[in-house]
Amino acid sequence: MLRLTNVKLPLDHSSSALKQEVIRKLELQEGELLDFSVFKRSYDARKSDDIFLIYSLDVELTAPAHKRCLAQFAGNDSVRPSPDMSYKYVADKPANFPQAQQLRPVIIGFGPCGILAALLLAQMGLKPIVIERGQDVRQRTKDTWGLWRDRELNEESNVQYGEGGAGTFSDGKLYTQIKDPKFYGRKVLTEFVKAGAPEEILFVSKPHIGTFKLVKMMENIRAEIIALGGEIRFGEKLAHLNIEDQQVTGLTLNSGEVINTQHVILAIGHSARDTFQSLLESGVYIEAKPFSVGLRIEHPQSVIDKARFGVNAGNEILGAADYKLVHHCQDGRNVYSFCMCPGGTVVAAASEPGKLVINGMSEYSRNERNANSAIVVDINPAQDYPQHPLAGIDLQRQLEEKAFLMGGENYNAPAQLVGDFLAGKASEKIGSVQPSYKPGVTLSDLSQLLPDFAVKALREAIPEFNKQIKGFSMYDAVLTGVETRTSSPVCIKRDKDSFISINTKGLYPAGEGAGYAGGILSAGVDGIKVAEALALDLLGQARGNVIKN
Ligand SMILES: Cc1cc2nc3c(=O)[nH]c(=O)nc-3n(C[C@H](O)[C@H](O)[C@H](O)COP(=O)(O)OP(=O)(O)OC[C@H]3O[C@@H](n4cnc5c(N)ncnc54)[C@H](O)[C@@H]3O)c2cc1C
């Protein structure tokens, strides 16, 4: 196969145009093209009246044509042999793992990181035990709606906790900017498709699944892990990690049960504040890390579509438009858009009582009236709060508590019109944009919610964003607070080769909570990496430094 990249065609090209373009670009004769498939499809919308599609294709030619093209296009980056992207297991026979039969590896957390780690270990013949504090995805859906509909927070089963992890009620965006030379991202997407995700996630440039489909997929992946001998225990929580001489010896659950093991993958996400505290008390090395705080902004999706796609707004291939914005403030702060959800809703994402935090999600169709995204300001441990590993969590809690109070202490979120926020006055009534947040909003002055530096930065950035997305600073757009869980406020440091904690042997900090991922796909990729590292350790082939004393 040849990988032919950078094939550009107009948005409304005919179904035969792609084939004709392959023949033209590769200068093929009749009968030389046997088959081709789309590897990636993206679009260039920098000029809204001249949007075009860009394809990467895998092309199958007759043997002589293949050979000729390789020679003819040598040195041309857009014609190369297709790389082998199939996943290669580091081990795949249970017999390879003598110790594994005695002490099973344990994975804490069944979010994307824990799921991929568990799946991979199970596929390699190990029989992992997964401990997940939240409930299975069906029960969890009911619990989550309990907050959205009835203002009742379940502290252990909610948007953050439960099967599927934090991304289950989300837009299900599946792209990442991490370097991925071994194509682990492809493995994650392939497993998702096997579990019921639409096949297009393998080839569109910005794939997303939407929350509804994610639920079914989670159940299918769980079934595979169990069929391979894994065990998944919902409603059970890691209470204490048992460590002797800097080696994990097991863990104690909240029920008091002790599980003996020498290998623990810690995939607990960014919201498990009680667990971070417990790990710190057990002596696991943790340090504070930068993250961001801010507000979520809502516009009519039609405004975003028009600004991005002009006359092509509404085109089926383009779908609902997204955006990605960054502004470098005069005082050195950065403001950026985060977790943009086209045609979606703003959701309550609290996991602690008396605290309010929000996020965004969409269905696969992305056909809700509003577009939303977080507009956040970076904060830095060195500059913005005291030097303590968990100081970022204290700051998050303060902001979430304030948001809860400003909302009216009933899980309403404080909200304000963009025009009023920029003018420095509290909003008194909603305008043309209806906020989507459930259970409801309370109009407020959001400058009272965030630290002064963040308010200043947002007031500088929003008008700048309007230069890129016309209508971004429209008076009636709605701001809702507060966004605090953009990424983990801590890093649980691990060795870069063995992926083992720098001071606790047998502990594999992983995924978003440990500071090694920032989204569904990168968390899944990290799950694969730590599962491989653990398998290699069991095989006596651990790479890199193990403990730094
Ligand atoms: C509403 C929302 C929308 C999002 N939208 C997107 C999106 O569209 N695209 C994207 O890429 N990312 C999105 N994200 C972020 C994404 O969900 C996370 O980056 C990703 O889930 C991180 O994966 P993880 O496995 O590292 O952690 P998590 O998904 O957070 O999973 C951690 C799991 O560990 C469990 N756990 C924690 N402590 C314990 C304990 N002590 N014992 C047992 N279990 C424990 C938790 O219950 C949880 O299920 C969204 C997040 C939210 C909240």
Side-chain angles (χ1 to χ4, degrees), residues 298 344-347 370 372 434-438 441:
E298 274 189 281
T345 51
V346 180
V347 296
N370 291 348
N372 73 72
Q434 280 301 316
S436 62
Y437 174 90
K438 296 267 176 307
V441 300

Side-chain angles (χ1 to χ4, degrees), residues 46-67:
R46 279 175 296 180
K47 290 187 191 149
S48 62
D49 56 353
D50 184 22
I51 298 176
F52 51 89
L53 299 173
I54 308 170
Y55 291 93
S56 292
L57 305 165
D58 281 324
V59 182
E60 196 183 344
L61 304 177
T62 58
H66 182 98
K67 203 169 156 200

Side-chain angles (χ1 to χ4, degrees), residues 107-115 131-134 140 148 156 158-175 208 236-239 253 267-272 274-275 296 338-341 347-349 358-361 485-486 510-514 517-524:
I107 297 165
I108 312 296
F110 203 49
C113 180
I115 289 172
I131 304 296
E132 167 55 57
R133 71 195 293 167
R140 179 188 180 202
W148 296 351
E156 294 297 340
N158 49 51
V159 171
Q160 308 290 350
Y161 299 154
E163 184 174 26
T168 306
F169 307 102
S170 81
D171 181 40
K173 283 177 280 295
L174 293 174
Y175 36 94
H208 88 112
E236 301 198 24
K237 176 158 92 176
L238 165 72
L253 302 181
I268 56 176
H270 59 28
S271 290
D274 50 355
T275 312
R296 201 156 269 264
F338 171 77
C339 187
M340 199 269 155
C341 297
V347 296
I358 58 167
N359 212 306
M361 73 171 209
R485 307 208 192 165
T486 48
E512 176 144 32
I520 297 170
L521 190 57
S522 60

Side-chain angles (χ1 to χ4, degrees), residues 20-88:
Q20 286 159 13
E21 191 61 4
V22 173
I23 292 171
R24 192 189 69 78
K25 280 214 154 203
L26 294 178
E27 299 173 24
L28 300 175
Q29 304 299 315
E30 176 99 34
E32 287 184 325
L33 175 61
L34 300 179
D35 201 4
F36 71 93
S37 58
V38 176
F39 171 69
K40 270 280 166 271
R41 186 189 70 206
S42 58
Y43 57 78
D44 185 334
R46 279 175 296 180
K47 290 187 191 149
S48 62
D49 56 353
D50 184 22
I51 298 176
F52 51 89
L53 299 173
I54 308 170
Y55 291 93
S56 292
L57 305 165
D58 281 324
V59 182
E60 196 183 344
L61 304 177
T62 58
H66 182 98
K67 203 169 156 200
R68 189 189 69 238
C69 283
L70 281 180
Q72 187 178 343
F73 296 100
N76 180 340
D77 275 351
S78 59
V79 184
R80 281 168 298 153
S82 300
D84 177 5
M85 298 177 78
S86 59
Y87 181 73
K88 316 268 181 318

